[in-house]
């Protein structure tokens, strides 16, 4: 029985292997490949419209509202990241109780193809009066990124809560 099973396995495996080898040998032997024999990855950039900037800003504010400081930081512009390193920001902002709470994007206006103004409101975690503010969204490296307002960036440079 074992011998018969091995014989059947060889009977099925050999044609399969030879068929695969024959299919491979049909390709050019000079190392070139046709475009249909490999998958292609298409990298697409985000649209440069105000709606895409708003989606990014809402993600930043959702991250802040949920205490995901690293997630918010990852969506910052290169200029904002130059103000403070990621670890220093996380350590600092986790102590900034005034920044905790709920945020809501109230409007986004395109300035040009790579810049938008984001208007928002913030309701502090402990209650109290909400405050309004504006920040900038910039299109960098094919995606929208968030830049906190200049006063906040200046405070971060000094390792202070805005």
């Amino acid at each position: 029985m074992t011998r018969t099973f091995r014989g059947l396995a060889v009977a099925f495996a050999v044609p399969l292997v030879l068929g695969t080898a024959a299919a491979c040998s049909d390709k050019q032997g000079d190392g070139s490949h046709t475009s249909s024999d490999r998958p292609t990855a298409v990298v697409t950039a985000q649209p440069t419209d105000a709606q895409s900037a708003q989606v990014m800003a809402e993600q930043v504010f959702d991250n802040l509202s949920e205490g995901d400081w690293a997630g918010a930081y990852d969506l910052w512009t290169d200029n904002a990241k130059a103000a403070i390193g990621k670890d220093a920001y996380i350590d600092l902002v986790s102590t900034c109780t005034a920044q905790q709470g709920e945020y809501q994007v109230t409007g986004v206006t395109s300035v040009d193809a790579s810049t938008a103004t984001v208007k928002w409101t913030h309701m502090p975690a402990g209650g109290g009066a909400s405050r309004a503010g504006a920040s900038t969204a910039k299109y960098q490296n094919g995606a929208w990124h968030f830049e906190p307002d200049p006063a906040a960036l200046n405070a971060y440079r000094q390792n202070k809560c805005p």
Side-chain angles (χ1 to χ4, degrees), residues 77-152:
T77 63
D78 295 338
N79 181 56
K81 289 177 180 178
I84 187 171
K86 185 175 185 175
D87 291 338
Y89 170 75
I90 292 168
D91 290 343
L92 174 64
V93 78
S94 64
T95 67
C96 298
T97 56
Q99 288 211 291
Q100 298 170 14
E102 295 295 318
Y103 289 86
Q104 182 178 7
V105 174
T106 58
V108 176
T109 307
S110 290
V111 175
D112 57 40
S114 63
T115 309
T117 300
V118 178
K119 294 182 180 178
W120 48 267
T121 58
H122 173 236
M123 178 64 72
S130 66
R131 71 178 180 103
S135 299
T136 302
K138 293 193 176 192
Y139 194 79
Q140 296 177 333
N141 304 317
W144 284 100
H145 296 276
F146 187 82
E147 188 159 296
D149 64 75

Side-chain angles (χ1 to χ4, degrees), residues 11-99:
F12 287 113
V14 169
L16 179 63
V17 170
L18 292 176
T20 304
C24 290
S25 67
D26 289 342
K27 296 189 178 171
Q28 297 173 345
D30 62 359
S32 64
H33 298 279
T34 62
S35 62
S36 64
D37 70 344
R38 291 190 291 180
T40 57
V42 178
V43 178
T44 58
Q46 291 178 343
T48 58
D49 60 356
Q51 183 179 7
S52 297
Q54 180 169 341
V55 169
M56 177 278 308
E58 289 171 348
Q59 182 63 54
V60 169
F61 289 129
D62 285 348
N63 289 346
L64 289 173
S65 295
E66 295 167 2
D68 181 4
W69 316 125
Y73 183 90
D74 288 341
L75 293 170
W76 279 13
T77 63
D78 295 338
N79 181 56
K81 289 177 180 178
I84 187 171
K86 185 175 185 175
D87 291 338
Y89 170 75
I90 292 168
D91 290 343
L92 174 64
V93 78
S94 64
T95 67
C96 298
T97 56
Q99 288 211 291

